[in-house]
Amino acid sequence: MRGRLIVLEGADGTGTTTQARTLADHLTSQGRTVHVTAEPSRGPVGVLIRELLGGDRPREHIHRELALLFAADRLDHVAREIEPELARGVDVVTDRYLLSSLVYQGLDSPLDWVATLNRHAPPADVTLLLTLPVELAMARVAGRAGHREVFETREVQQRVHRRYLELAPRVDAVVVDGQGEIAEVAARLIAALTAALTAALDVPLERAHGG
């Protein structure tokens, strides 16, 4: 049986990295084999993206390069890592995927162009979007060690939060409140994931019976 591609999305500071692991632990407890990954990937294109994101060039000067690189990295990520795991029957939980490109690269480039660049990326089985108040998310970002990336400013993140909610329907993302303790948020995500997977299983049955 083929594995399932499960995507966790959200603006910076919403907790996607932590909750990706929590989701994986839950799926493992259900007897599934799970592989956790993230974008940018750790492949060669992903490494270049991380260098650009943490570099000194303004976002406005590199937005086209980033849009192209993220699309290339996604296809490389799928070919190198995601697809082989899915083919083995492994569930893949990825921290960020297509919606992130539509949101972040869509800030500076035409949305239709960004979508076209990513048209060959296979759709996720489930996309979960974690949301938080902007101020809380930014406080978490400010508490991180290391150099601030080009998108991690208050003005940009305010736009990012709005765009995630606006564009969520394009990938059928399920919106989940990210406020509260880690266990509380995890419980909401697990409930949303269970409902989405159940609904996906019901679709073929309904069609088979003429629904």
Side-chain angles (χ1 to χ4, degrees), residues 8-19 95-96 104 128-134 136-138 140-141 144 157 160-161 164 176-180 185 189:
L8 196 53
E9 291 278 8
D12 295 321
T14 53
T16 57
T17 301
T18 297
Q19 292 298 340
D95 176 7
R96 302 279 180 86
Y104 281 89
L128 303 171
L129 171 59
L130 267 181
T131 62
L132 270 184
V134 177
L136 179 54
M138 286 302 300
R140 291 181 178 179
V141 171
R144 294 174 183 168
Q157 285 300 308
V160 164
H161 280 251
Y164 261 117
V176 178
D177 181 7
Q179 297 185 82
V185 178
L189 284 169

Side-chain angles (χ1 to χ4, degrees), residues 101-103 105-107 109-116 163 167 170:
S101 278
L102 298 178
V103 169
Q105 277 65 71
L107 292 176
S109 298
L111 184 61
D112 288 345
W113 180 64
V114 177
T116 298
R163 292 295 278 168
L167 297 176
R170 290 189 66 135

Side-chain angles (χ1 to χ4, degrees), residues 174-206:
V174 180
V175 179
V176 178
D177 181 7
Q179 297 185 82
E181 299 296 325
I182 291 175
E184 294 178 71
V185 178
R188 291 186 206 117
L189 284 169
I190 290 167
L193 175 62
T194 301
L197 290 174
T198 301
L201 287 174
D202 286 342
V203 170
L205 293 176
E206 292 172 359

